[in-house]
Amino acid sequence: MSSAARRGGAEGGSVREGDLLWTPSPDRVERTRLTAFTRFAAERTGRSFDDYAALWRWSTTELGEFWSAVWDFFDVRSSTPCTAVLAERSMPGARWFPGAHLNFAGYVLDQEVSGAPALLYASETEPLRELSWEELASRVRAVATQLREVGVRPGDRVVGYLPNVPEAMIAMLAAASAGAVWAGVSPDFGARGALDRLAQLRPVVLIAADGYRYGGREFDRQGELAEVVAGLPQLRQVVAVSVLGLEVADLTVPVTSWADVLSGPSVDAAEFVCEQVPFDHPLWVLFSSGTTGLPKPIVHGHGGILLEQLKSLAFHQDLRSGDRAFFHTTTGWMMWNFLVSMLTSRIVPVLYDGNPSHPDVDVLWRLAQDSRARFFGTSPAYVELMKKAGIVPRERFDLSALEVVMPAGSPVAPAITAWFYDAVAEDLWVATGSGGTDICTGLVGGVPTLPVRAGEIQARCLGVAAEAWDDAGRPVVGRVGELVVTQPMPSMPLFYWGDEDGSRYRASYFETFPGVWRHGDFLELNERGGCFVRGRSDAVLNRHGVRIGTAEIYRVVEDDPAVVTSLVVNLDLPGGGFFMPLFVVPAPGAVLDDGLRDRLRRRLREEYTPRHVPDRIIAVRAIPLTRSGKKMEIPVRRLLMGADPADVADPAAMADPGSLSDIVEYARTQRDYAVA
């Protein structure tokens, strides 16, 4: 057994950041896939790796050796030979495995095995079910065949408007197998939010649900679907997925049902061919909102995602063939792509479509029990909900199969880490991680051979040359700096869709430190290599792991005739919670009353998602702007987190130095939130 070192427990309030909570036993260390890879790397290179730190240093300096070893360890195969591992090391512009051709979905279909589940799924209204590998693979081939029948070719875009159901994974794999580019949004997005994302891609096929269920309610989305279809003029086909059992409404493009697609002509396994595409051929587009303009359409490649996810799943989650793994997510968060990627390793993803607190607040733990999950992932905010409700999962459920938990989506407080040992199991690896949609993986995360300490992320991930830098671009240890990555990674974006000259991509990550990736988080490293992500360093709003652009909120709020201008920020609270205040300047003669507040909230919910709805709407006389007219979101956030007003803004750089006064007063007198 592994050992647990406790000094009081979360309930007693005595857990401090950095306190030792758990140490893996020698037997557990020996059984990890990380240990197996360490030996594999040592034998092929003749190097000695005495500890994880030595392995990490090699992985971030000898990039060719490391990624070549990853390729061979997982037996990745290319239909054509590659000419190098890393032909160009610059950022941006790194060229990985030139000459190699493969297919992400083909790698998944190669894992097909008779008589075993490919995935498990449940919803608020349906019990846990199983989809076998034979069923998954045959449905992928059927959908891919129909996509090709309607003219989908490599590089075309196929998009989804789907909840977290098996059809979404099947559709994504079918599109990829045909060489098409996948993108999806969850149906809790209103038409405007969906079109802000999908319309940028000019898709030719849309696969969409008639609605979704959440919190015991049904949400008919056929009206929104009609608006989405009308806003996508290049569409050739809509495939309708029945979630609510509604009759498909008439649309302006041909519609076929998911059932008809599955029953149509197909190609059997022996004849089906996955399109062999270059290593850097676009696989999918993820959307990460910026503070201005439309959401950023981030393009990832087949080969880079395949290698990165194989590495992450094996070495930083210690998952292997046959393991059941759950993470609560929607299709609009990169953690859904993490679940899809499990299929590359015959790991069995467990899908849940619904409210994590319905019909009971502990429904996710019941799902972990019923699925015999070895891995369980959720947000710190959900754990805080468990704590407040007095839920102790190990007293209610059989969690004997559970060995790994991963809290992700926001900074993890020490008491949250400790809660897992108090309430779930003493012998448990809490593999806290942090990364992002941008690179579709973790930058810092769990290491199964290292101890777990309260509130601390164990280490930087293999192949990730992450550092904390001060404003002058110097590495710092023991204090907070900008999270940067100094060497390229295979899963870094290929480009932004539509960003022809690459200027938007470069401005997002390489403007502050040329040639070095600036991620937009605050990072602190300690002497032993432990990591602490201290929140966003830019103005992007992070709500339960989903990044929201402030521009989306401004487009709705400032479209209202009763509002002149506005400013929104999101605060990370102790325990994994959030507080998102919206400051508005009412138009002359208008009053910010309950009617206006309700109208703004309703429009944000309908046009985007419930995550876009602020926790509080406050009237102010002015919004602080820089002299160049930019809203001062970061200074306002710092102010609300307790910083001295004199330290957050230089009056000489402000258009109106007095514009902060109402927000300063609110921060001084408010009772809406509490920060450490």
Side-chain angles (χ1 to χ4, degrees):
M1 296 289 289
S2 305
S3 62
R6 307 308 318 282
R7 306 127 332 285
E11 286 80 2
S14 60
V15 178
R16 298 168 301 175
E17 188 171 84
D19 282 350
L20 179 65
L21 298 177
W22 177 86
T23 302
S25 68
D27 177 65
R28 185 157 182 165
V29 169
E30 178 63 26
R31 288 186 286 110
T32 67
R33 301 191 75 190
L34 179 61
T35 295
F37 176 74
T38 302
R39 290 193 179 124
F40 175 83
E43 289 172 2
R44 69 184 273 143
T45 64
R47 299 175 184 271
S48 176
F49 304 113
D50 295 332
D51 55 18
Y52 178 80
L55 186 69
W56 176 82
R57 284 192 296 271
W58 166 71
S59 76
T60 55
T61 54
E62 303 299 330
L63 299 186
E65 283 188 5
F66 171 70
W67 288 106
S68 175
V70 171
W71 178 288
D72 290 341
F73 185 79
F74 293 105
D75 193 26
V76 177
R77 298 176 185 179
S78 170
S79 58
T80 56
C82 64
T83 57
V85 174
L86 182 55
E88 176 59 56
R89 196 162 174 158
S90 63
M91 287 193 295
R95 293 178 57 236
W96 293 95
F97 294 91
H101 284 68
L102 41 65
N103 188 292
F104 178 92
Y107 195 91
V108 169
L109 294 179
D110 284 346
Q111 308 307 310
E112 181 180 351
V113 59
S114 179
L119 59 85
L120 305 176
Y121 61 102
S123 72
E124 290 183 1
T125 58
E126 297 290 341
L128 191 67
R129 297 181 179 183
E130 175 182 304
L131 188 71
S132 71
W133 269 105
E134 294 96 333
E135 292 171 312
L136 174 76
S138 65
R139 293 178 189 183
V140 169
R141 290 191 291 267
V143 176
T145 299
Q146 293 306 302
L147 291 176
R148 285 167 166 160
E149 285 291 319
V150 298
V152 172
R153 297 292 180 262
D156 286 343
R157 277 75 64 205
V158 174
V159 299
Y161 189 57
L162 295 163
N164 187 18
V165 292
E167 289 86 349
M169 287 196 175
I170 293 165
M172 180 267 139
L173 292 169
S177 67
V181 186
W182 172 261
V185 297
S186 58
D188 61 352
F189 272 91
R192 183 171 184 172
L195 284 171
D196 280 352
R197 290 154 174 79
L198 302 182
Q200 297 184 66
L201 308 183
R202 301 166 67 88
V204 297
V205 174
L206 169 66
I207 302 174
D210 55 358
Y212 67 98
R213 296 182 179 90
Y214 194 84
R217 297 176 56 197
E218 292 189 349
F219 294 85
D220 180 349
R221 304 307 267 177
Q222 293 204 88
E224 287 77 10
L225 176 58
E227 291 184 54
V228 170
V229 169
L232 301 175
Q234 287 76 30
L235 282 183
R236 303 172 197 158
Q237 184 85 46
V238 172
V239 178
V241 176
S242 177
V243 173
L244 301 183
L246 303 176
E247 184 176 346
V248 178
D250 291 333
L251 297 171
T252 55
V253 298
V255 181
T256 188
S257 72
W258 182 262
D260 286 345
V261 168
L262 295 185
S263 63
S266 185
V267 177
D268 63 30
E271 298 177 354
F272 184 79
V273 176
C274 283
E275 197 74 32
Q276 295 298 291
V277 295
F279 186 92
D280 59 357
H281 183 82
L283 169 64
W284 57 43
V285 178
L286 301 183
F287 297 95
S288 183
S289 299
T291 56
T292 59
L294 294 172
K296 298 179 292 188
I298 300 170
V299 183
H300 295 122
H302 278 248
I305 287 295
L306 177 60
L307 282 187
E308 178 57 46
Q309 289 294 334
L310 288 170
K311 178 213 78 174
S312 180
L313 290 164
F315 306 152
H316 297 291
Q317 282 83 49
D318 195 39
L319 291 168
R320 63 201 75 217
S321 177
D323 283 348
R324 279 94 183 280
F326 169 79
F327 200 104
H328 183 248
T329 182
T330 71
T331 54
W333 187 14
M334 62 152 279
M335 297 311 296
W336 181 84
N337 302 76
F338 168 73
L339 289 176
V340 175
S341 297
M342 291 178 181
L343 297 169
T344 64
S345 300
R346 288 188 189 157
I347 301 159
V348 182
V350 181
L351 316 182
Y352 180 70
D353 176 33
N355 186 322
S357 301
H358 183 85
D360 301 303
V361 72
D362 57 5
V363 64
L364 299 188
W365 295 104
R366 185 175 301 281
L367 185 63
Q369 168 191 266
D370 295 347
S371 66
R372 301 291 295 164
R374 180 170 174 264
F375 173 98
F376 180 92
T378 188
S379 69
Y382 180 73
V383 175
E384 188 67 25
L385 180 65
M386 297 291 98
K387 288 180 62 182
K388 290 179 179 178
I391 301 296
V392 181
R394 67 179 177 186
E395 295 178 356
R396 298 181 176 217
F397 305 107
D398 175 9
L399 301 175
S400 55
L402 188 63
E403 295 185 7
V404 188
V405 295
M406 185 171 78
S410 62
V412 178
I416 296 295
T417 319
W419 179 87
F420 286 105
Y421 294 100
D422 290 325
V424 180
E426 288 190 359
D427 187 16
L428 192 68
W429 172 35
V430 181
T432 307
S434 182
T437 299
D438 319 73
I439 35 79
C440 198
T441 190
L443 296 175
V444 294
V447 179
T449 58
L450 295 179
V452 172
R453 297 176 182 274
E456 181 174 320
I457 300 171
Q458 288 171 287
R460 291 168 281 188
C461 294
L462 293 180
V464 182
E467 295 181 352
W469 279 16
D470 65 15
D471 292 344
R474 295 171 300 213
V476 295
V477 175
R479 58 190 179 94
V480 175
E482 286 279 355
L483 170 53
V484 301
V485 181
T486 62
Q487 296 293 337
M489 297 166 55
S491 68
M492 283 178 171
L494 303 176
F495 51 87
Y496 285 173
W497 198 272
D499 182 27
E500 301 298 338
D501 62 358
S503 58
R504 194 179 180 200
Y505 177 37
R506 290 191 300 273
S508 294
Y509 308 109
F510 302 103
E511 195 171 68
T512 304
F513 305 111
V516 172
W517 175 284
R518 174 186 171 272
H519 192 62
D521 280 339
F522 286 127
L523 174 69
E524 182 179 347
L525 300 170
N526 60 27
E527 293 289 349
R528 61 174 170 262
C531 309
F532 306 88
V533 174
R534 303 300 193 186
R536 297 295 301 172
S537 64
D538 59 21
V540 173
L541 312 174
N542 189 331
R543 301 275 281 182
H544 303 286
V546 178
R547 295 172 64 186
I548 299 169
T550 55
E552 293 182 327
I553 292 174
Y554 298 148
R555 275 197 292 274
V556 170
V557 172
E558 295 172 13
D559 183 56
D560 193 292
V563 175
V564 174
T565 187
S566 60
L567 184 146
V568 66
V569 296
N570 188 58
L571 313 181
D572 295 311
L573 303 183
F578 306 92
F579 180 75
M580 190 166 82
L582 170 69
F583 299 95
V584 302
V585 176
V591 176
L592 180 62
D593 56 15
D594 289 345
L596 177 55
R597 288 188 175 94
D598 289 345
R599 184 167 74 237
L600 295 176
R601 290 188 177 108
R602 184 179 66 253
R603 287 193 59 195
L604 286 165
R605 184 179 293 107
E606 291 175 350
E607 297 187 32
Y608 287 99
T609 77
R611 291 181 293 272
H612 288 70
V613 178
D615 296 302
R616 184 79 189 275
I617 304 177
I618 305 107
V620 292
R621 287 168 291 184
I623 294 298
L625 306 174
T626 66
R627 286 188 175 274
S628 61
K630 293 183 179 180
K631 295 178 181 180
M632 298 174 62
E633 293 156 329
I634 295 174
V636 167
R637 189 180 66 188
R638 290 181 59 203
L639 179 67
L640 296 178
M641 292 296 286
D644 189 308
D647 294 334
V648 303
D650 177 7
M654 298 177 63
D656 174 10
S659 58
L660 265 178
S661 59
D662 285 352
I663 299 175
V664 169
E665 181 64 13
Y666 174 74
R668 186 181 69 83
T669 61
Q670 55 71 34
R671 294 294 183 267
D672 301 289
Y673 64 96
V675 296

